[in-house]
Amino acid sequence: MAGKTIFDKIWDAHVVEQIEDGPSVVYIDQHLIHEVTSPQAFAGLDARGLKVFRTNRTVATPDHNVPTIDQDKPIRDELSRFQVDKLTENCQKHGVTLYGLNHPYQGIVHVVGPQLGITQPGMTIVCGDSHTSTHGAFGSVAFGIGTSEVEMVLATQCLMQSKAKRMRITVDGELGEGVGAKDIILYIISKITASGGTGYFVEYAGSAFRNLTMEGRMTVCNMSIEMGARGGLIAPDDTTFEYIRGREFAPKGADFDAAVAKWRELYTDADAVFDAELHFDAADIEPMITYGTNPGMGIKITANVPALSEIEESNRTSFAKSLDYMGLVPGERLLGKTVDYVFVGSCTNGRIEDLRAVAEFVKGKQKADNITAWIVPGSKQVEKQAQEEGLVAIFEAAGFQLRQPGCSACLGMNEDKIPKGKYAVSTSNRNFEGRQGPGARTMLASPITAAAVAVTGKIVDPRDL
């Protein structure tokens, strides 16, 4: 009998019931909720006279459409105010822990969970948000669910779900100068397309991932969904355990040691079989940037936009439509192209490590006159760290605008929108049409590349600065 993958081990340990010729009933260790996908779920509970089954397994925080200025004042946008108020009302009514606006733990749900030690190896974690895959960086099975499934988990702490196929993506070798986690995942998606992981749960393996920090691993797993995968995970190791040690809700003392001993069993057996295996060489990866309207439309920053002849005939119509939206032409060189906005933030790259990297790059420099630069911390804790470490002073001296925590311009659900026709180099995760505002033109890149663009006002190779 073949060994098991880490995904199999975690999944199988959480199956409460296997329905014949149907999905599994899976126990969920941790449920994270926010203001956008939970109101309907709570309304469903109320309509059936149900309570939240395990309140100690549910944590809430508003993030998607909260304002990022004047958070101490009443929310002006009517829908945002309604949803945030409804989240508060529902959490109070059902006894769910809420880190509301201005709470020291408030922030993007996928930043809050890891930094508080709520996210731990071996867990099953769900949230009504596709980027729940972020938590897989800790060796957990984490994925996004829909609103009706949010209601199911609130009511039962279980979820009916079909088991995904298993894919392993291995990247070995040393990363080059100026290349980081965001470049790795953009490179992979550019190779396998935005649908290349559909139907799979991905395990990332190899020295390139093992050498990443936990923040970097979160960036990689966060964007698993952008290749169509159900989720992605990385086997926990000493880097994982040291990140968790001492965090607010992590086990302490002897309990922590016992937990680590258990977590060390979370690895893929040598003889385990995957449904698909992909291998890449880290030396082939360079700073990346997207040119189109899905994350798979990415290139090395020194490359040109593909010529029409390089695109499969069946994809040429959508390719041309995408370039038309972006105001680009086939074969165009992106280096030197003028940009209008730089956005550093989101659940992909809004952590303290990302802000440190940008601050180190821009220290002593000024943003270009044509650039509007927004720095949006992923959480109140990140914001506090940035202030204590002097990063805020660096950003302000460089002409960057530091905003308050939230999803912000990643998805433009609040007032942080990129104007129509303007180009934004963004550290977020999606470059869909209108994602950052109606008509906005998004180019995804790493924090270092975003910093380089901010100070030059144009697309540049950060290795040249």
Side-chain angles (χ1 to χ4, degrees), residues 183-430:
D183 301 303
I184 299 175
I185 193 65
L186 284 175
Y187 174 83
I188 291 171
I189 300 172
S190 76
K191 291 295 184 184
I192 72 172
T193 80
S195 61
T198 302
Y200 294 96
F201 209 99
V202 176
E203 178 178 346
Y204 300 99
S207 58
F209 298 114
R210 286 197 302 273
N211 292 334
L212 291 178
T213 63
M214 285 311 298
E215 285 88 346
R217 296 179 188 185
M218 283 187 259
T219 297
V220 169
C221 291
N222 171 278
M223 293 195 67
S224 301
I225 190 70
E226 307 308 337
M227 64 177 81
R230 195 73 183 96
L233 80 173
I234 296 173
D237 57 12
D238 287 340
T239 300
T240 317
F241 310 143
E242 287 309 306
Y243 179 93
I244 296 172
R245 184 191 298 273
R247 294 194 180 266
E248 180 76 21
F249 298 109
K252 304 292 192 305
D255 289 341
F256 180 78
D257 295 337
V260 169
K262 185 178 177 183
W263 296 338
R264 289 192 187 281
E265 298 301 313
L266 295 171
Y267 58 84
T268 290
D269 295 331
D271 57 346
V273 176
F274 288 82
D275 298 291
E277 290 251 26
L278 299 174
H279 297 266
F280 298 101
D281 184 346
D284 289 337
I285 305 175
E286 295 181 10
M288 297 287 294
I289 192 164
T290 63
Y291 60 88
T293 53
N294 74 60
M297 301 177 81
I299 52 176
K300 295 176 180 178
I301 202 163
T302 54
N304 292 0
V305 173
L308 201 58
S309 59
E310 299 177 75
I311 304 299
E312 289 185 17
E313 193 165 341
S314 60
N315 294 329
R316 288 180 183 176
T317 299
S318 61
F319 174 76
K321 178 175 180 290
S322 178
L323 290 197
D324 181 61
Y325 179 85
M326 292 296 293
L328 301 173
V329 297
E332 182 173 347
R333 186 173 174 81
L334 293 186
L335 283 177
K337 186 170 186 61
T338 301
V339 172
D340 307 290
Y341 281 74
V342 166
F343 170 64
V344 177
S346 82
C347 60
T348 311
N349 283 122
R351 296 180 175 80
I352 189 63
E353 181 178 281
D354 303 311
L355 270 58
R356 285 175 184 149
V358 174
E360 182 179 354
F361 193 95
V362 305
K363 187 176 184 179
K365 302 183 180 75
Q366 282 285 317
K367 75 168 185 66
D369 291 340
N370 59 300
I371 291 288
T372 298
W374 292 339
I375 302 277
V376 184
S379 72
K380 294 293 286 185
Q381 284 200 322
V382 172
E383 179 185 53
K384 183 170 181 285
Q385 281 181 277
Q387 290 168 338
E388 292 173 347
E389 294 180 16
L391 309 186
V392 173
I394 293 172
F395 293 139
E396 290 176 346
F400 286 59
Q401 183 180 9
L402 185 82
R403 297 197 162 205
Q404 293 170 296
C407 294
S408 184
C410 173
L411 73 170
M413 287 186 72
N414 65 357
E415 296 173 349
D416 301 350
K417 293 179 174 60
I418 308 301
K420 182 178 180 180
K422 299 295 185 182
Y423 288 98
V425 169
S426 174
T427 67
S428 53
N429 43 57
R430 285 179 174 162

Side-chain angles (χ1 to χ4, degrees), residues 87-130:
L87 180 66
T88 303
E89 175 188 320
N90 285 325
C91 288
Q92 290 175 342
K93 180 178 179 179
H94 288 271
V96 170
T97 297
L98 168 68
Y99 302 132
L101 273 185
N102 300 305
H103 188 285
Y105 293 164
Q106 182 268 333
I108 304 174
V109 67
H110 308 312
V111 176
V112 169
Q115 72 182 175
L116 290 178
I118 294 171
T119 301
Q120 296 172 19
M123 281 184 163
T124 49
I125 301 174
V126 296
C127 174
D129 183 87
S130 56

Side-chain angles (χ1 to χ4, degrees), residues 44-96:
L45 288 189
D46 292 343
R48 293 191 289 160
L50 299 175
K51 299 293 184 183
V52 174
F53 185 62
R54 289 193 169 160
T55 55
N56 64 338
R57 295 288 183 176
T58 308
V59 173
T61 190
D63 55 7
H64 276 62
N65 60 15
V66 299
T68 57
I69 55 173
D70 296 332
Q71 288 186 346
D72 58 331
K73 296 181 174 60
I75 300 173
R76 290 187 299 178
D77 180 80
E78 186 175 348
L79 177 60
S80 174
R81 185 174 64 252
F82 172 80
Q83 290 182 326
V84 172
D85 289 348
K86 205 64 183 175
L87 180 66
T88 303
E89 175 188 320
N90 285 325
C91 288
Q92 290 175 342
K93 180 178 179 179
H94 288 271
V96 170

